[in-house]
């Protein structure tokens, strides 16, 4: 029986083959550059995908909250890095988890460093997050005063140990010239490494973000890469040039509930609570909330004539349909939607269905 | 112990007092207009809020999927209406639920009507959804051919019975002149009622949408109202003039993880996976993903100087902070964020915390 027979309502499909290809390709790239790949699991949030990743030599992962770290604790990871400026209200939870799992956190200010120095009960590593121009979070790359204040405070405690510098050049999502961003980011990390390597001979540098890691070939002397989205990719990444439409590993299966041939519109059950509301803009200004694919027994097929979700509300989606699609679609059919932002879609859906018809885990919301 | 002591990570607070005021006010308005209030529970998705609603005379509710109907089945509702063009793939689930719960569905085409006529095993009511200009879904108000084709098909089965006409004038979210939209929508429903009342003497008409139901005073001869968002309201509704900021009943509590005084920015743990990504635009073009309130033991306080979330990513939120806020905030504090779109935020969070520190239920995602 096909996986299609299991579906009566919006369901997130995961194509294991495509996902493994994405994992392998990035692992090969890391290997070629003598880098360690530490993927960010905020995208998949799944033990099953974690087991696949282990087959490509991945031994450590990154997450974005202590709750997500908790999900992955005790599943054989050599280290779990929480890549979010540490939330000091969760120090006791960190103590609980660090008892049995090697963990690292991210620090960007003195207040939280001091709290961890005082209150940590087990060894926990830390990266200093560096802002090399993205402007979301991190210590400015030339703010040696703050870097050294953090290092000094950390030295006062016995459980907090410095691992290195972490840099997320998220402006690769907005700026065309990714090579320039990477040149600057790599130079910043290299400068910091050279400055502090004598004092911390084991320090490493890590860079992460899918658009950059997908297209850049030379990572200089950066030691580790930490992209997340690449395990699934999505239409935003296709749009950014990180991958091809064929590399997107997840599709939301949606039931067709009405067809308006005169308007060339198809109404599906699939909206913001399933896909999230990330959006691209078509060349003619139309919004695009997801790309239509045709669901087949062996997986999905990318149509020759494009159709896409032109609007969504909480549960409704309206497809702007091609003539090809209109000529064959019927009420009660299922269509696939390649998401604009797969991390958000997976977080909304909290579960995957494999093409073999098996449920695949995802951490809970919140 | 204050509810604040329970919070270490992003948590959705629900102020019962404000929520009850919103329920009472809309129930009073319905009563004054001799209308039945059938609130749309896609917003709260909660049994607890349902029990509060019952205290204001509410006996029936609306939901947007069969999954959500399932959540509410067996909780004493006289009828649960599924206000989404019925998804024919869920006919067997409908049969299962309709065995023990009075349900109604929404129909807009012949295909699904025929399927239900043939396959329903228990009585189920239906509304025909009318599109009076919104353009999302529904039968065009003058398409009597389709209306009558649906009614004819339904008559052939013994379990599908006609309840009336449903109209969601969702363009009140985009168009300033809500009175004009309501004048047209009420006229459309009135025309349909008069046309079909002889044949269906019990037919009712229902109109729903929070912006309209909040500001319109005269609903003509419409029998029922079905707004949803009003139970919580949110900043989009404040912006639309449906309510005041004081009427917003939910706030996301977020931990402060970093402060950049020079940039007047505060980094919080609270992003798209918590709030969803609905957004307003400030007069100067800045984006606004949520309004800051100060959390107090008795609830939250609306600041004199405004601060708001100017950008969010998956887990990060950056507040554009007022001088007032900057003068007193510390790393490790909690702030409140009034959401832009409370239905989506509640759906992301899947649980509430009351101001008494008690967990309040919400249906699961998907």
């Amino acid at each position: 029986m096909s996986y299609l027979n299991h579906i009566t309502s919006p369901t997130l499909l995961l194509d294991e083959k495509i996902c493994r290809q994405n994992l392998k390709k990035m692992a090969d790239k890391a290997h070629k550059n003598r880098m360690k790949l530490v993927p960010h699991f905020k995208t998949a949030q799944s033990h099953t995908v974690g087991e696949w990743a282990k087959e490509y030599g991945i031994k450590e992962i990154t997450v974005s909250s202590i709750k997500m770290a908790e999900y992955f604790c005790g599943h054989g990871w050599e280290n779990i890095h929480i890549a979010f400026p540490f939330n000091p209200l969760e120090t006791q939870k960190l103590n609980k988890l660090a008892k049995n799992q090697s963990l690292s956190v991210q620090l960007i200010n003195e207040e939280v460093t001091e709290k961890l120095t005082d209150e940590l009960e087990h060894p926990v590593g830390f990266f200093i997050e560096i802002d090399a121009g993205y402007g979301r979070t991190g210590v400015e790359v030339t703010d040696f005063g703050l870097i050294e204040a953090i290092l000094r405070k950390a030295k006062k405690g016995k459980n907090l140990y410095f691992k290195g510098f972490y840099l997320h050049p998220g402006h690769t999502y907005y700026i065309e010239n990714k090579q320039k961003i990477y040149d600057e980011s790599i130079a910043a990390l290299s400068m910091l490494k050279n400055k502090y390597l004598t004092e911390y001979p084991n320090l490493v540098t890590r860079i992460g973000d899918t658009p950059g890691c997908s297209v850049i070939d030379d990572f200089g002397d950066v030691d580790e890469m930490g992209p997340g989205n690449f395990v699934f990719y999505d239409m935003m990444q296709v749009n950014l040039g990180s991958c091809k439409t064929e590399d997107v590993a997840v599709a939301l299966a949606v039931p067709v509930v009405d067809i308006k041939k005169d308007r060339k519109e198809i109404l599906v059950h699939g909206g913001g609570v399933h896909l999230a509301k990330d959006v691209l803009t078509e060349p003619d200004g139309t919004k695009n909330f997801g790309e239509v694919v045709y669901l087949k027994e062996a997986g999905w097929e990318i149509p020759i004539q494009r159709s896409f979700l032109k609007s969504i509300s909480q549960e409704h989606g309206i497809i702007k349909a091609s003539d090809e699609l209109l000529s064959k679609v019927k009420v009660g059919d299922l269509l696939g939607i390649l998401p604009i932002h797969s991390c958000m879609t997976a977080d909304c859906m909290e579960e995957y269905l494999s093409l073999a018809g098996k449920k695949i885990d995802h951490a809970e919301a919140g």
Side-chain angles (χ1 to χ4, degrees), chain A residues 83-259:
Chain A
F84 192 92
F86 189 72
N87 166 9
L89 298 176
E90 300 193 307
T91 308
Q92 289 321 307
K93 283 191 189 165
L94 180 63
N95 273 329
K96 206 176 132 197
L97 295 186
K99 198 174 167 186
N100 300 307
Q101 168 75 53
S102 170
L103 293 168
S104 50
V105 299
Q106 212 142 290
L107 294 174
I108 58 172
N109 56 42
E110 292 181 70
E111 296 93 318
V112 181
T113 310
E114 184 160 359
K115 187 168 170 74
L116 290 184
T117 304
D118 291 346
E119 299 182 16
L120 274 185
E121 294 163 6
H122 309 281
V124 168
F126 75 95
F127 280 83
I128 295 179
E129 182 176 2
I130 297 298
D131 178 4
Y134 180 30
R136 181 175 72 175
T137 171
V139 179
E140 281 179 43
V141 62
T142 53
D143 192 350
F144 302 114
L146 180 51
I147 290 171
E148 280 158 32
I150 292 170
L151 292 172
R152 253 195 324 273
K153 284 229 187 288
K155 270 189 179 164
K156 289 188 183 157
K158 65 181 197 323
N159 285 319
L160 194 57
Y161 63 94
F162 183 49
K163 292 189 76 162
F165 296 101
Y166 180 105
L167 193 153
H168 175 72
H171 38 341
T172 53
Y173 280 84
Y174 311 105
I175 294 170
E176 190 81 21
N177 192 340
K178 297 179 203 348
Q179 187 67 51
K180 180 167 177 288
I181 293 172
Y182 261 62
D183 288 346
E184 289 165 3
S185 300
I186 291 166
L189 287 175
S190 188
M191 177 273 290
L192 290 168
K193 190 200 269 192
N194 287 322
K195 191 168 164 65
Y196 293 99
L197 198 61
T198 315
E199 197 175 351
Y200 298 94
N202 297 320
L203 90 75
V204 296
T205 53
R206 185 185 300 176
I207 201 162
D209 79 288
T210 287
C213 292
S214 298
V215 302
I216 300 296
D217 282 316
D218 182 356
F219 294 81
D221 66 352
V222 180
D223 301 294
E224 303 181 349
M225 61 162 76
N229 179 280
F230 78 98
V231 295
F232 293 163
Y233 283 123
D234 52 33
M235 292 312 295
M236 194 187 294
Q237 299 291 345
V238 173
N239 198 47
L240 287 164
S242 313
C243 65
K244 298 186 308 263
T245 308
E246 289 75 7
D247 300 323
V248 179
V250 287
L252 186 75
V254 294
V256 171
V257 296
D258 197 40
I259 299 164

